[in-house]
Amino acid sequence: MDSTKKIFITIAMIVFLIPHYAPAGEIISIATDHFPPYSYEENGTAKGIQIELAKVIFDKMNVRLEVPVLPWERAILMAESRKIDGLFGVRKTEERMRWLIFPEEPTFEVSTVIFKRKDDPFVYAGINSLQNKTIGVIGGYTYGDQFDKSNIFKRAKVANLKQNFLKLLAGRIDLVVSYQDVGDYILKDINLQNRIVACSVPVHKTPFYIAFARKPGHGKLSREFSRILKELKRSDQCPETMSKIGIPPHMIQCE
């Protein structure tokens, strides 16, 4: 092989290894709320399994991530007005697709469940079993189309899940709806895991995304994020990476 051909092959290999989206020093701000174990703030620093996974992807893109932890409704308004670059932990809906760009690849799948007091004989058996109940919800969250559109029960809206669980124990509401991993984490954190339990049948299962505000360049950013996430899920390093981050197998299936 002559030297010219060797140089050409070397350059081609270097180009192939450079990430397709690599704006040097790019900083993006993707907001979340207090949503453990997916995301939360500890000593002024944003942590959580979805944030750690995002850092792995963005590092490969040469993009620096900033994560403001905000009340969810405020985070939504800021993304909608393009004051931030995106949102963590977003369920895809037609309405949200008007002002957010969703990657093709979701970060993981989550289950929405009904929580009840342990001594309550209630059994969740579909939306109709919620007839005339008062259910604690979080403002700005969605829980699947059936739940979101139903008018057979009352919604009691608060700012965080801990408030809902305390209201449930006090008898001020009948039930609480929540993403199961988040509910389990909060109950353990406030030592109520033996007094409040999740119903076994899920209300809904849905993929969760990191979605980007509709700003110039974010379509390309979204496509590159999706490409690298897919590659990670299909790589031999996937099980070790997910284990290190703390993402359980039921949330991400390595291929």
Side-chain angles (χ1 to χ4, degrees), residues 45 65-67 94 107 119 149 169-170 206 208 219:
T45 301
L65 177 64
E66 291 183 348
V67 185
E94 285 187 16
T107 46
D119 59 0
K149 294 175 180 177
L169 276 187
T206 187
F208 259 27

Side-chain angles (χ1 to χ4, degrees), residues 3-247:
S3 58
T4 303
K5 203 167 186 179
K6 285 180 180 178
I7 292 169
F8 176 79
I9 291 172
T10 302
I11 292 172
M13 290 177 67
I14 292 170
V15 170
F16 177 78
L17 291 170
I18 293 173
H20 297 161
Y21 186 93
E26 176 86 3
I27 301 173
I28 62 169
S29 176
I30 299 182
T32 186
D33 66 343
H34 185 68
F35 199 45
Y38 307 138
S39 53
Y40 56 94
E41 193 170 36
E42 187 175 276
N43 299 322
T45 301
K47 297 184 177 181
I49 56 178
Q50 66 177 342
I51 293 172
E52 297 309 313
L53 176 59
K55 285 178 180 177
V56 170
I57 307 302
F58 284 124
D59 280 351
K60 293 179 182 292
M61 297 167 64
N62 196 26
V63 173
R64 218 174 88 208
L65 177 64
E66 291 183 348
V67 185
V69 180
L70 306 168
W72 188 240
E73 289 185 313
R74 183 181 166 199
I76 287 174
L77 288 172
M78 290 182 72
E80 202 168 355
S81 60
R82 296 182 287 184
K83 291 178 180 175
I84 54 175
D85 294 301
L87 295 169
F88 275 104
V90 186
R91 191 174 73 84
K92 187 191 286 189
T93 66
E94 285 187 16
E95 188 274 329
R96 286 175 174 174
M97 288 175 70
R98 288 197 286 269
W99 49 275
L100 287 172
I101 300 169
F102 285 83
E104 183 183 340
E105 186 72 12
T107 46
F108 43 69
E109 184 178 73
V110 298
S111 293
T112 299
V113 297
I114 297 293
F115 284 88
K116 64 174 187 174
R117 292 182 298 277
K118 193 172 183 178
D119 59 0
D120 185 347
F122 171 80
V123 175
Y124 177 74
I127 292 296
N128 289 337
S129 64
L130 301 177
Q131 181 88 36
N132 299 325
K133 299 290 187 181
T134 299
I135 303 173
V137 303
I138 305 295
Y141 279 25
T142 64
Y143 301 100
D145 288 344
Q146 267 197 318
F147 187 95
D148 292 346
K149 294 175 180 177
S150 179
N151 59 7
I152 66 172
F153 52 83
K154 294 179 182 178
R155 294 166 177 79
K157 187 169 76 172
V158 297
N160 63 67
L161 193 53
K162 180 180 176 180
Q163 284 179 266
N164 267 336
F165 285 142
L166 293 177
K167 285 174 69 176
L168 178 63
L169 276 187
R172 293 168 58 196
I173 55 178
D174 300 309
L175 303 164
V176 171
V177 64
S178 171
Y179 304 112
Q180 183 161 9
D181 296 298
V182 180
D184 289 343
Y185 185 99
I186 296 292
L187 287 171
K188 188 175 180 181
D189 188 55
I190 59 178
N191 200 30
L192 291 178
Q193 68 271 30
N194 294 322
R195 299 181 65 188
I196 296 174
V197 295
C199 295
S200 58
V201 176
V203 173
H204 186 65
K205 287 189 175 184
T206 187
F208 259 27
Y209 294 82
I210 293 173
F212 300 92
R214 287 195 174 273
K215 290 184 177 184
H218 280 189
K220 183 178 180 182
L221 180 72
S222 173
R223 290 190 297 273
E224 189 64 5
F225 182 90
S226 186
R227 182 187 69 82
I228 294 175
L229 179 56
K230 282 182 185 177
E231 287 181 356
L232 174 60
K233 289 180 180 180
R234 292 170 183 162
S235 72
D236 293 340
Q237 290 76 40
C238 179
E240 183 183 350
T241 300
M242 299 308 161
S243 175
K244 196 176 292 185
I245 293 171
I247 296 178

